Amino acid sequence: MENIQELKNTLSYIHSEINRIETMAGTLSTIEREHYKKLTNFDHTELVDIAVEEQNAARQLGTMKHMCLAIAQKIDGINSAIDRGEIGGDEGRATETH
């Protein structure tokens, strides 16, 4: 029982940190997109090259944001399974005794 509570606390911490990372990735992605728009307003090849890099960074950060959301959903699923007793509950203990 103590291990299950420790697992739930750990999952809660990981979930919280994943949410923070997701928020940071979203914010940085927005900033990168704004940089892309500003840099493409200049008629300068090097600035346009930098703008394209900013656009790629924005896409990668957007992907990271979606990955964080998926991980957070998985953690929610694990927490729900624990609450239903599917992990570490009576069912798990019964399996251990057989």
Side-chain angles (χ1 to χ4, degrees):
M1 184 69 175
E2 190 174 302
N3 287 338
I4 292 299
Q5 188 56 48
E6 189 175 312
L7 175 61
K8 287 184 65 103
N9 290 341
T10 300
L11 289 172
S12 177
Y13 169 74
I14 292 170
H15 192 275
S16 173
E17 292 300 302
I18 289 292
N19 283 341
R20 286 183 55 207
I21 293 169
E22 183 263 332
T23 300
M24 286 187 256
T27 301
L28 291 172
S29 178
T30 300
I31 291 170
E32 297 290 348
R33 272 188 253 118
E34 289 173 6
H35 288 170
Y36 171 80
K37 288 177 187 172
K38 288 178 183 174
L39 290 170
T40 53
N41 285 333
F42 299 100
D43 189 25
H44 192 277
T45 305
E46 289 182 24
L47 291 179
V48 172
D49 289 345
I50 293 170
V52 170
E53 290 175 5
E54 295 287 303
Q55 186 181 40
N56 288 335
R59 286 186 186 134
Q60 290 176 352
L61 288 165
T63 299
M64 288 175 61
K65 181 179 176 181
H66 289 286
M67 291 167 62
C68 288
L69 288 170
I71 292 169
Q73 287 175 344
K74 294 281 186 189
I75 292 170
D76 285 340
I78 293 169
N79 264 329
S80 295
I82 291 170
D83 291 341
R84 290 188 305 267
E86 295 171 0
I87 298 174
D90 292 337
E91 189 174 295
R93 285 188 211 113
T95 303
E96 290 175 8
T97 57
H98 290 280

PDB file of all heavy atoms in Angstrom, residues 6-36:
ATOM      1  N   GLU A   6       3.430   5.858  -2.905  1.00  0.00           N
ATOM      2  CA  GLU A   6       4.672   6.453  -3.399  1.00  0.00           C
ATOM      3  C   GLU A   6       4.649   6.542  -4.924  1.00  0.00           C
ATOM      4  O   GLU A   6       5.066   7.549  -5.500  1.00  0.00           O
ATOM      5  CB  GLU A   6       5.865   5.609  -2.930  1.00  0.00           C
ATOM      6  CG  GLU A   6       7.198   6.264  -3.201  1.00  0.00           C
ATOM      7  CD  GLU A   6       8.344   5.451  -2.611  1.00  0.00           C
ATOM      8  OE1 GLU A   6       8.245   5.055  -1.442  1.00  0.00           O
ATOM      9  OE2 GLU A   6       9.308   5.235  -3.346  1.00  0.00           O
ATOM     10  N   LEU A   7       4.131   5.494  -5.574  1.00  0.00           N
ATOM     11  CA  LEU A   7       4.000   5.508  -7.037  1.00  0.00           C
ATOM     12  C   LEU A   7       3.063   6.629  -7.478  1.00  0.00           C
ATOM     13  O   LEU A   7       3.357   7.363  -8.422  1.00  0.00           O
ATOM     14  CB  LEU A   7       3.477   4.154  -7.533  1.00  0.00           C
ATOM     15  CG  LEU A   7       3.179   4.050  -9.030  1.00  0.00           C
ATOM     16  CD1 LEU A   7       4.442   4.284  -9.854  1.00  0.00           C
ATOM     17  CD2 LEU A   7       2.565   2.689  -9.351  1.00  0.00           C
ATOM     18  N   LYS A   8       1.938   6.772  -6.781  1.00  0.00           N
ATOM     19  CA  LYS A   8       0.983   7.833  -7.136  1.00  0.00           C
ATOM     20  C   LYS A   8       1.609   9.216  -6.956  1.00  0.00           C
ATOM     21  O   LYS A   8       1.409  10.107  -7.778  1.00  0.00           O
ATOM     22  CB  LYS A   8      -0.293   7.720  -6.301  1.00  0.00           C
ATOM     23  CG  LYS A   8      -1.177   6.550  -6.720  1.00  0.00           C
ATOM     24  CD  LYS A   8      -2.468   6.508  -5.947  1.00  0.00           C
ATOM     25  CE  LYS A   8      -3.310   7.670  -6.244  1.00  0.00           C
ATOM     26  NZ  LYS A   8      -4.430   7.505  -7.114  1.00  0.00           N
ATOM     27  N   ASN A   9       2.374   9.391  -5.885  1.00  0.00           N
ATOM     28  CA  ASN A   9       3.048  10.677  -5.672  1.00  0.00           C
ATOM     29  C   ASN A   9       4.066  10.953  -6.776  1.00  0.00           C
ATOM     30  O   ASN A   9       4.174  12.078  -7.267  1.00  0.00           O
ATOM     31  CB  ASN A   9       3.736  10.696  -4.305  1.00  0.00           C
ATOM     32  CG  ASN A   9       2.750  10.737  -3.163  1.00  0.00           C
ATOM     33  OD1 ASN A   9       1.585  11.096  -3.345  1.00  0.00           O
ATOM     34  ND2 ASN A   9       3.193  10.350  -1.978  1.00  0.00           N
ATOM     35  N   THR A  10       4.793   9.919  -7.167  1.00  0.00           N
ATOM     36  CA  THR A  10       5.784  10.068  -8.239  1.00  0.00           C
ATOM     37  C   THR A  10       5.098  10.402  -9.557  1.00  0.00           C
ATOM     38  O   THR A  10       5.536  11.293 -10.294  1.00  0.00           O
ATOM     39  CB  THR A  10       6.616   8.779  -8.388  1.00  0.00           C
ATOM     40  OG1 THR A  10       7.284   8.529  -7.148  1.00  0.00           O
ATOM     41  CG2 THR A  10       7.638   8.903  -9.504  1.00  0.00           C
ATOM     42  N   LEU A  11       4.005   9.701  -9.851  1.00  0.00           N
ATOM     43  CA  LEU A  11       3.257   9.983 -11.081  1.00  0.00           C
ATOM     44  C   LEU A  11       2.702  11.404 -11.076  1.00  0.00           C
ATOM     45  O   LEU A  11       2.707  12.089 -12.106  1.00  0.00           O
ATOM     46  CB  LEU A  11       2.129   8.973 -11.265  1.00  0.00           C
ATOM     47  CG  LEU A  11       2.558   7.561 -11.626  1.00  0.00           C
ATOM     48  CD1 LEU A  11       1.360   6.619 -11.576  1.00  0.00           C
ATOM     49  CD2 LEU A  11       3.218   7.532 -12.990  1.00  0.00           C
ATOM     50  N   SER A  12       2.253  11.840  -9.923  1.00  0.00           N
ATOM     51  CA  SER A  12       1.731  13.205  -9.810  1.00  0.00           C
ATOM     52  C   SER A  12       2.830  14.228 -10.092  1.00  0.00           C
ATOM     53  O   SER A  12       2.611  15.216 -10.802  1.00  0.00           O
ATOM     54  CB  SER A  12       1.148  13.412  -8.410  1.00  0.00           C
ATOM     55  OG  SER A  12       0.706  14.736  -8.260  1.00  0.00           O
ATOM     56  N   TYR A  13       4.016  13.972  -9.542  1.00  0.00           N
ATOM     57  CA  TYR A  13       5.152  14.866  -9.784  1.00  0.00           C
ATOM     58  C   TYR A  13       5.517  14.881 -11.276  1.00  0.00           C
ATOM     59  O   TYR A  13       5.694  15.953 -11.867  1.00  0.00           O
ATOM     60  CB  TYR A  13       6.363  14.429  -8.953  1.00  0.00           C
ATOM     61  CG  TYR A  13       7.632  15.126  -9.334  1.00  0.00           C
ATOM     62  CD1 TYR A  13       7.857  16.460  -8.983  1.00  0.00           C
ATOM     63  CD2 TYR A  13       8.609  14.467 -10.083  1.00  0.00           C
ATOM     64  CE1 TYR A  13       9.013  17.105  -9.358  1.00  0.00           C
ATOM     65  CE2 TYR A  13       9.772  15.109 -10.461  1.00  0.00           C
ATOM     66  CZ  TYR A  13       9.972  16.428 -10.098  1.00  0.00           C
ATOM     67  OH  TYR A  13      11.126  17.066 -10.483  1.00  0.00           O
ATOM     68  N   ILE A  14       5.612  13.702 -11.881  1.00  0.00           N
ATOM     69  CA  ILE A  14       5.968  13.616 -13.309  1.00  0.00           C
ATOM     70  C   ILE A  14       4.903  14.325 -14.149  1.00  0.00           C
ATOM     71  O   ILE A  14       5.238  15.075 -15.077  1.00  0.00           O
ATOM     72  CB  ILE A  14       6.134  12.139 -13.739  1.00  0.00           C
ATOM     73  CG1 ILE A  14       7.363  11.535 -13.062  1.00  0.00           C
ATOM     74  CG2 ILE A  14       6.249  12.031 -15.258  1.00  0.00           C
ATOM     75  CD1 ILE A  14       7.480  10.032 -13.223  1.00  0.00           C
ATOM     76  N   HIS A  15       3.638  14.114 -13.811  1.00  0.00           N
ATOM     77  CA  HIS A  15       2.548  14.756 -14.545  1.00  0.00           C
ATOM     78  C   HIS A  15       2.674  16.274 -14.465  1.00  0.00           C
ATOM     79  O   HIS A  15       2.523  16.984 -15.470  1.00  0.00           O
ATOM     80  CB  HIS A  15       1.208  14.292 -13.976  1.00  0.00           C
ATOM     81  CG  HIS A  15       0.026  14.657 -14.813  1.00  0.00           C
ATOM     82  ND1 HIS A  15      -0.596  15.875 -14.712  1.00  0.00           N
ATOM     83  CD2 HIS A  15      -0.618  13.968 -15.776  1.00  0.00           C
ATOM     84  CE1 HIS A  15      -1.596  15.906 -15.575  1.00  0.00           C
ATOM     85  NE2 HIS A  15      -1.630  14.769 -16.236  1.00  0.00           N
ATOM     86  N   SER A  16       2.965  16.779 -13.280  1.00  0.00           N
ATOM     87  CA  SER A  16       3.116  18.221 -13.094  1.00  0.00           C
ATOM     88  C   SER A  16       4.271  18.771 -13.932  1.00  0.00           C
ATOM     89  O   SER A  16       4.141  19.812 -14.590  1.00  0.00           O
ATOM     90  CB  SER A  16       3.348  18.512 -11.607  1.00  0.00           C
ATOM     91  OG  SER A  16       3.646  19.867 -11.408  1.00  0.00           O
ATOM     92  N   GLU A  17       5.392  18.057 -13.923  1.00  0.00           N
ATOM     93  CA  GLU A  17       6.558  18.517 -14.683  1.00  0.00           C
ATOM     94  C   GLU A  17       6.302  18.429 -16.192  1.00  0.00           C
ATOM     95  O   GLU A  17       6.720  19.310 -16.948  1.00  0.00           O
ATOM     96  CB  GLU A  17       7.803  17.698 -14.294  1.00  0.00           C
ATOM     97  CG  GLU A  17       8.258  17.955 -12.875  1.00  0.00           C
ATOM     98  CD  GLU A  17       8.632  19.410 -12.627  1.00  0.00           C
ATOM     99  OE1 GLU A  17       9.514  19.920 -13.331  1.00  0.00           O
ATOM    100  OE2 GLU A  17       8.025  20.038 -11.740  1.00  0.00           O
ATOM    101  N   ILE A  18       5.603  17.395 -16.624  1.00  0.00           N
ATOM    102  CA  ILE A  18       5.256  17.262 -18.048  1.00  0.00           C
ATOM    103  C   ILE A  18       4.366  18.432 -18.466  1.00  0.00           C
ATOM    104  O   ILE A  18       4.530  19.000 -19.549  1.00  0.00           O
ATOM    105  CB  ILE A  18       4.552  15.906 -18.313  1.00  0.00           C
ATOM    106  CG1 ILE A  18       5.545  14.756 -18.195  1.00  0.00           C
ATOM    107  CG2 ILE A  18       3.853  15.890 -19.669  1.00  0.00           C
ATOM    108  CD1 ILE A  18       6.601  14.716 -19.278  1.00  0.00           C
ATOM    109  N   ASN A  19       3.434  18.813 -17.599  1.00  0.00           N
ATOM    110  CA  ASN A  19       2.576  19.960 -17.913  1.00  0.00           C
ATOM    111  C   ASN A  19       3.393  21.243 -18.033  1.00  0.00           C
ATOM    112  O   ASN A  19       3.129  22.079 -18.905  1.00  0.00           O
ATOM    113  CB  ASN A  19       1.489  20.125 -16.853  1.00  0.00           C
ATOM    114  CG  ASN A  19       0.375  19.127 -17.013  1.00  0.00           C
ATOM    115  OD1 ASN A  19       0.201  18.540 -18.077  1.00  0.00           O
ATOM    116  ND2 ASN A  19      -0.376  18.916 -15.949  1.00  0.00           N
ATOM    117  N   ARG A  20       4.389  21.392 -17.164  1.00  0.00           N
ATOM    118  CA  ARG A  20       5.258  22.582 -17.245  1.00  0.00           C
ATOM    119  C   ARG A  20       6.045  22.583 -18.556  1.00  0.00           C
ATOM    120  O   ARG A  20       6.167  23.613 -19.222  1.00  0.00           O
ATOM    121  CB  ARG A  20       6.226  22.616 -16.066  1.00  0.00           C
ATOM    122  CG  ARG A  20       5.573  23.001 -14.761  1.00  0.00           C
ATOM    123  CD  ARG A  20       6.548  23.101 -13.624  1.00  0.00           C
ATOM    124  NE  ARG A  20       7.634  24.014 -13.952  1.00  0.00           N
ATOM    125  CZ  ARG A  20       8.847  23.942 -13.441  1.00  0.00           C
ATOM    126  NH1 ARG A  20       9.155  23.020 -12.569  1.00  0.00           N
ATOM    127  NH2 ARG A  20       9.775  24.803 -13.782  1.00  0.00           N
ATOM    128  N   ILE A  21       6.592  21.433 -18.928  1.00  0.00           N
ATOM    129  CA  ILE A  21       7.357  21.332 -20.180  1.00  0.00           C
ATOM    130  C   ILE A  21       6.443  21.624 -21.367  1.00  0.00           C
ATOM    131  O   ILE A  21       6.832  22.334 -22.300  1.00  0.00           O
ATOM    132  CB  ILE A  21       8.010  19.934 -20.301  1.00  0.00           C
ATOM    133  CG1 ILE A  21       9.079  19.753 -19.228  1.00  0.00           C
ATOM    134  CG2 ILE A  21       8.603  19.736 -21.700  1.00  0.00           C
ATOM    135  CD1 ILE A  21       9.585  18.323 -19.089  1.00  0.00           C
ATOM    136  N   GLU A  22       5.222  21.092 -21.339  1.00  0.00           N
ATOM    137  CA  GLU A  22       4.255  21.325 -22.412  1.00  0.00           C
ATOM    138  C   GLU A  22       3.965  22.817 -22.558  1.00  0.00           C
ATOM    139  O   GLU A  22       3.923  23.345 -23.670  1.00  0.00           O
ATOM    140  CB  GLU A  22       2.979  20.535 -22.122  1.00  0.00           C
ATOM    141  CG  GLU A  22       1.931  20.632 -23.196  1.00  0.00           C
ATOM    142  CD  GLU A  22       0.880  21.682 -22.897  1.00  0.00           C
ATOM    143  OE1 GLU A  22       0.630  21.964 -21.706  1.00  0.00           O
ATOM    144  OE2 GLU A  22       0.332  22.241 -23.845  1.00  0.00           O
ATOM    145  N   THR A  23       3.799  23.500 -21.432  1.00  0.00           N
ATOM    146  CA  THR A  23       3.531  24.936 -21.468  1.00  0.00           C
ATOM    147  C   THR A  23       4.728  25.698 -22.037  1.00  0.00           C
ATOM    148  O   THR A  23       4.570  26.592 -22.877  1.00  0.00           O
ATOM    149  CB  THR A  23       3.206  25.451 -20.046  1.00  0.00           C
ATOM    150  OG1 THR A  23       2.050  24.768 -19.569  1.00  0.00           O
ATOM    151  CG2 THR A  23       2.948  26.945 -20.047  1.00  0.00           C
ATOM    152  N   MET A  24       5.933  25.341 -21.592  1.00  0.00           N
ATOM    153  CA  MET A  24       7.139  26.005 -22.103  1.00  0.00           C
ATOM    154  C   MET A  24       7.300  25.767 -23.603  1.00  0.00           C
ATOM    155  O   MET A  24       7.626  26.697 -24.348  1.00  0.00           O
ATOM    156  CB  MET A  24       8.374  25.507 -21.361  1.00  0.00           C
ATOM    157  CG  MET A  24       8.501  26.024 -19.961  1.00  0.00           C
ATOM    158  SD  MET A  24      10.079  25.560 -19.228  1.00  0.00           S
ATOM    159  CE  MET A  24       9.551  24.250 -18.163  1.00  0.00           C
ATOM    160  N   ALA A  25       7.076  24.537 -24.047  1.00  0.00           N
ATOM    161  CA  ALA A  25       7.216  24.232 -25.474  1.00  0.00           C
ATOM    162  C   ALA A  25       6.202  25.032 -26.286  1.00  0.00           C
ATOM    163  O   ALA A  25       6.539  25.561 -27.356  1.00  0.00           O
ATOM    164  CB  ALA A  25       7.027  22.731 -25.712  1.00  0.00           C
ATOM    165  N   GLY A  26       4.994  25.155 -25.775  1.00  0.00           N
ATOM    166  CA  GLY A  26       3.983  25.939 -26.479  1.00  0.00           C
ATOM    167  C   GLY A  26       4.351  27.410 -26.567  1.00  0.00           C
ATOM    168  O   GLY A  26       4.207  28.038 -27.624  1.00  0.00           O
ATOM    169  N   THR A  27       4.860  27.948 -25.468  1.00  0.00           N
ATOM    170  CA  THR A  27       5.264  29.359 -25.452  1.00  0.00           C
ATOM    171  C   THR A  27       6.427  29.601 -26.409  1.00  0.00           C
ATOM    172  O   THR A  27       6.398  30.552 -27.206  1.00  0.00           O
ATOM    173  CB  THR A  27       5.675  29.775 -24.021  1.00  0.00           C
ATOM    174  OG1 THR A  27       4.567  29.566 -23.143  1.00  0.00           O
ATOM    175  CG2 THR A  27       6.121  31.224 -23.973  1.00  0.00           C
ATOM    176  N   LEU A  28       7.429  28.737 -26.345  1.00  0.00           N
ATOM    177  CA  LEU A  28       8.586  28.898 -27.233  1.00  0.00           C
ATOM    178  C   LEU A  28       8.196  28.711 -28.701  1.00  0.00           C
ATOM    179  O   LEU A  28       8.711  29.420 -29.579  1.00  0.00           O
ATOM    180  CB  LEU A  28       9.690  27.915 -26.842  1.00  0.00           C
ATOM    181  CG  LEU A  28      10.367  28.207 -25.509  1.00  0.00           C
ATOM    182  CD1 LEU A  28      11.303  27.068 -25.118  1.00  0.00           C
ATOM    183  CD2 LEU A  28      11.131  29.524 -25.567  1.00  0.00           C
ATOM    184  N   SER A  29       7.297  27.803 -28.967  1.00  0.00           N
ATOM    185  CA  SER A  29       6.831  27.598 -30.335  1.00  0.00           C
ATOM    186  C   SER A  29       6.160  28.856 -30.866  1.00  0.00           C
ATOM    187  O   SER A  29       6.394  29.264 -32.019  1.00  0.00           O
ATOM    188  CB  SER A  29       5.863  26.413 -30.377  1.00  0.00           C
ATOM    189  OG  SER A  29       5.372  26.230 -31.680  1.00  0.00           O
ATOM    190  N   THR A  30       5.362  29.491 -30.038  1.00  0.00           N
ATOM    191  CA  THR A  30       4.692  30.739 -30.442  1.00  0.00           C
ATOM    192  C   THR A  30       5.713  31.833 -30.730  1.00  0.00           C
ATOM    193  O   THR A  30       5.614  32.560 -31.725  1.00  0.00           O
ATOM    194  CB  THR A  30       3.722  31.196 -29.331  1.00  0.00           C
ATOM    195  OG1 THR A  30       2.746  30.171 -29.125  1.00  0.00           O
ATOM    196  CG2 THR A  30       3.026  32.490 -29.704  1.00  0.00           C
ATOM    197  N   ILE A  31       6.719  31.937 -29.868  1.00  0.00           N
ATOM    198  CA  ILE A  31       7.764  32.952 -30.063  1.00  0.00           C
ATOM    199  C   ILE A  31       8.518  32.691 -31.366  1.00  0.00           C
ATOM    200  O   ILE A  31       8.797  33.624 -32.135  1.00  0.00           O
ATOM    201  CB  ILE A  31       8.730  32.968 -28.861  1.00  0.00           C
ATOM    202  CG1 ILE A  31       8.006  33.509 -27.629  1.00  0.00           C
ATOM    203  CG2 ILE A  31       9.983  33.787 -29.171  1.00  0.00           C
ATOM    204  CD1 ILE A  31       8.775  33.348 -26.336  1.00  0.00           C
ATOM    205  N   GLU A  32       8.846  31.426 -31.612  1.00  0.00           N
ATOM    206  CA  GLU A  32       9.581  31.084 -32.838  1.00  0.00           C
ATOM    207  C   GLU A  32       8.753  31.429 -34.079  1.00  0.00           C
ATOM    208  O   GLU A  32       9.295  31.924 -35.073  1.00  0.00           O
ATOM    209  CB  GLU A  32       9.944  29.592 -32.847  1.00  0.00           C
ATOM    210  CG  GLU A  32      10.864  29.155 -31.739  1.00  0.00           C
ATOM    211  CD  GLU A  32      12.281  29.673 -31.874  1.00  0.00           C
ATOM    212  OE1 GLU A  32      12.643  30.190 -32.941  1.00  0.00           O
ATOM    213  OE2 GLU A  32      13.029  29.579 -30.900  1.00  0.00           O
ATOM    214  N   ARG A  33       7.458  31.180 -34.018  1.00  0.00           N
ATOM    215  CA  ARG A  33       6.594  31.529 -35.162  1.00  0.00           C
ATOM    216  C   ARG A  33       6.567  33.046 -35.376  1.00  0.00           C
ATOM    217  O   ARG A  33       6.585  33.521 -36.517  1.00  0.00           O
ATOM    218  CB  ARG A  33       5.185  30.997 -34.948  1.00  0.00           C
ATOM    219  CG  ARG A  33       5.020  29.586 -35.455  1.00  0.00           C
ATOM    220  CD  ARG A  33       3.579  29.115 -35.428  1.00  0.00           C
ATOM    221  NE  ARG A  33       3.480  28.164 -34.321  1.00  0.00           N
ATOM    222  CZ  ARG A  33       2.727  28.304 -33.250  1.00  0.00           C
ATOM    223  NH1 ARG A  33       1.921  29.317 -33.109  1.00  0.00           N
ATOM    224  NH2 ARG A  33       2.737  27.406 -32.302  1.00  0.00           N
ATOM    225  N   GLU A  34       6.541  33.811 -34.292  1.00  0.00           N
ATOM    226  CA  GLU A  34       6.563  35.276 -34.409  1.00  0.00           C
ATOM    227  C   GLU A  34       7.883  35.750 -35.017  1.00  0.00           C
ATOM    228  O   GLU A  34       7.900  36.666 -35.844  1.00  0.00           O
ATOM    229  CB  GLU A  34       6.347  35.916 -33.042  1.00  0.00           C
ATOM    230  CG  GLU A  34       4.922  35.750 -32.534  1.00  0.00           C
ATOM    231  CD  GLU A  34       4.753  36.237 -31.104  1.00  0.00           C
ATOM    232  OE1 GLU A  34       5.694  36.812 -30.529  1.00  0.00           O
ATOM    233  OE2 GLU A  34       3.662  36.012 -30.553  1.00  0.00           O
ATOM    234  N   HIS A  35       8.983  35.117 -34.602  1.00  0.00           N
ATOM    235  CA  HIS A  35      10.281  35.462 -35.176  1.00  0.00           C
ATOM    236  C   HIS A  35      10.293  35.176 -36.673  1.00  0.00           C
ATOM    237  O   HIS A  35      10.829  35.963 -37.465  1.00  0.00           O
ATOM    238  CB  HIS A  35      11.403  34.680 -34.490  1.00  0.00           C
ATOM    239  CG  HIS A  35      11.685  35.153 -33.108  1.00  0.00           C
ATOM    240  ND1 HIS A  35      12.510  34.471 -32.245  1.00  0.00           N
ATOM    241  CD2 HIS A  35      11.250  36.230 -32.411  1.00  0.00           C
ATOM    242  CE1 HIS A  35      12.575  35.112 -31.097  1.00  0.00           C
ATOM    243  NE2 HIS A  35      11.822  36.179 -31.167  1.00  0.00           N
ATOM    244  N   TYR A  36       9.725  34.042 -37.055  1.00  0.00           N
ATOM    245  CA  TYR A  36       9.660  33.684 -38.473  1.00  0.00           C
ATOM    246  C   TYR A  36       8.943  34.779 -39.259  1.00  0.00           C
ATOM    247  O   TYR A  36       9.433  35.237 -40.302  1.00  0.00           O
ATOM    248  CB  TYR A  36       8.949  32.342 -38.654  1.00  0.00           C
ATOM    249  CG  TYR A  36       8.664  32.010 -40.098  1.00  0.00           C
ATOM    250  CD1 TYR A  36       9.665  31.500 -40.919  1.00  0.00           C
ATOM    251  CD2 TYR A  36       7.401  32.229 -40.648  1.00  0.00           C
ATOM    252  CE1 TYR A  36       9.423  31.217 -42.246  1.00  0.00           C
ATOM    253  CE2 TYR A  36       7.145  31.941 -41.976  1.00  0.00           C
ATOM    254  CZ  TYR A  36       8.146  31.431 -42.769  1.00  0.00           C
ATOM    255  OH  TYR A  36       7.909  31.154 -44.086  1.00  0.00           O
TER     256      TYR A  36
END
